[in-house]
Amino acid sequence: MKTVILPSGEKVPALGMGTWQLGESSDTHAEELATLQLGIDLGMTLLDTAEMYGEGQAETLVGEAIRGRRDQVFIVSKVYPHNASRRRAAAACERSLKRLQTDCIDLYLLHWRGNIPLQETIEAFEDLKAAGKIRHWGVSNLDVDALREIESLKDGQQMALDEVYYNLERRSVEWELMRWCHERKMPLIAYSPLEQGKLMDHAGLLELASRLGMTVAQLMLAWLLRNEQVIVVPKTAQRVHLKENFASLDYSLSVETLAELDEMFPPPTSAMPLQIL
């Protein structure tokens, strides 16, 4: 498994598993559980979830999937902005821990910016770290201006990473955010790396992937995985698609292929708002 290094020096898998919309149906529960367990077996041991996903149902599924193998996985979860105060974050974290069936979350993120001052959220996260409830903290859906603000605050330098909407069609992070994070050795997590499957029938991607002996999903994931500071968390509810995603690690894209992809999906040429799903 390729790895990405956190600011602390800890290595985590570059290819993990997302869980948005998982755990919400009893009809698909068995296959979703088997898919997460297979991913762990293959080394995709970073699991990305949130209290928002199915109002805790995704965390509950993750808790079931990691039962008896907690020491093999790296759990990322997120707190609602309205729960990111010192008082409410402690309670929200306890609920997540209970659903996850663990006593510590490896990486706890502010899901997006709300009305609670960032300094108070940082203090809440540092309290949770001191109590052994979380190991690292970070943010999600925040652009570089907000990251600069956090960095200027007390203990803001403890921020581990930013999770953002990033794929071939959503490249706004490349203008400034990615460079800013790279200078601080702070990774990005790319969520919705397959654009919710909306590009699977894209004519140009189909032709290029076929020529390379890949699927479109593998091409999109390999494009993201080429970056040493990006963690990719595709979500799938089926083992067959998980195996397909895992195989993206076997491919390395040439300079010529990357240029073709830039022609199809041009990188940003000026500053633009951070794209959020």
Side-chain angles (χ1 to χ4, degrees):
M1 171 59 66
K2 178 186 175 183
T3 58
V4 169
I5 302 175
L6 299 178
S8 66
E10 183 173 353
K11 293 181 179 180
V12 297
L15 181 63
M17 294 184 285
T19 61
W20 182 44
Q21 298 179 325
L22 297 187
E24 299 180 22
S25 170
S26 59
D27 293 339
T28 56
H29 177 270
E31 179 62 18
E32 290 173 357
L33 178 61
T35 299
L36 291 180
Q37 291 171 331
L38 174 61
I40 296 170
D41 291 340
L42 292 173
M44 298 168 65
T45 53
L46 185 145
L47 284 77
D48 180 76
T49 190
E51 67 171 338
M52 187 194 80
Y53 298 170
E55 293 301 316
Q57 292 180 95
E59 287 183 325
T60 299
L61 178 68
V62 170
E64 189 175 353
I66 67 172
R67 190 178 298 151
R69 48 199 317 194
R70 173 64 183 93
D71 60 342
Q72 299 176 33
V73 300
F74 187 95
I75 299 174
V76 182
S77 194
K78 310 176 196 72
V79 62
Y80 271 123
H82 62 261
N83 283 337
S85 66
R86 283 187 96 161
R87 180 178 62 85
R88 294 177 66 95
C93 185
E94 286 294 342
R95 291 192 295 270
S96 289
L97 289 169
K98 184 176 180 179
R99 289 188 289 261
L100 291 162
Q101 301 181 48
T102 186
D103 57 3
C104 182
I105 294 170
D106 296 297
L107 175 61
Y108 202 40
L109 308 181
L110 172 65
H111 208 150
W112 65 90
R113 187 171 190 171
N115 296 322
I116 293 170
L118 290 171
Q119 181 65 72
E120 182 173 353
T121 299
I122 293 170
E123 291 168 1
F125 286 163
E126 286 295 313
D127 287 347
L128 290 168
K129 275 178 62 177
K133 302 295 184 179
I134 67 174
R135 297 179 53 237
H136 310 281
W137 63 264
V139 297
S140 179
N141 294 308
L142 294 193
D143 208 345
V144 68
D145 289 342
L147 299 189
R148 287 194 183 101
E149 182 180 348
I150 291 172
E151 187 181 49
S152 72
L153 299 173
K154 183 177 183 296
D155 293 321
Q157 301 78 19
Q158 300 303 312
M159 176 171 49
L161 54 71
D162 190 5
E163 180 165 339
V164 292
Y165 188 18
Y166 183 33
N167 59 52
L168 268 172
E169 194 166 66
R170 312 289 176 176
R171 300 181 63 171
S172 62
V173 302
E174 295 177 8
W175 179 253
E176 186 177 14
L177 177 63
M178 181 175 285
R179 175 171 48 81
W180 191 91
C181 291
H182 182 74
E183 289 171 354
R184 287 152 181 81
K185 296 181 171 56
M186 195 173 85
L188 296 176
I189 294 180
Y191 73 76
S192 293
L194 299 177
E195 187 60 13
Q196 301 87 58
K198 296 174 184 175
L199 298 178
M200 295 302 119
D201 295 324
H202 185 281
L205 289 178
L206 282 168
E207 190 279 328
L208 179 56
S210 176
R211 195 180 347 131
L212 296 172
M214 308 169 69
T215 66
V216 170
Q218 289 167 344
L219 178 59
M220 293 182 70
L221 293 176
W223 179 80
L224 285 167
L225 287 164
R226 81 195 190 285
N227 191 309
E228 297 298 320
Q229 287 295 103
V230 174
I231 299 162
V232 189
V233 287
K235 183 269 294 184
T236 180
Q238 297 180 327
R239 283 170 286 183
V240 62
H241 291 148
L242 182 123
K243 292 175 182 177
E244 177 186 353
N245 293 344
F246 180 72
S248 64
L249 291 163
D250 295 335
Y251 297 96
S252 179
L253 305 184
S254 68
V255 172
E256 293 75 18
T257 296
L258 295 175
E260 286 190 62
L261 290 170
D262 281 346
E263 285 188 22
M264 283 186 251
F265 303 94
T269 56
S270 62
M272 58 188 298
L274 182 69
Q275 293 161 300
I276 296 173
L277 179 60

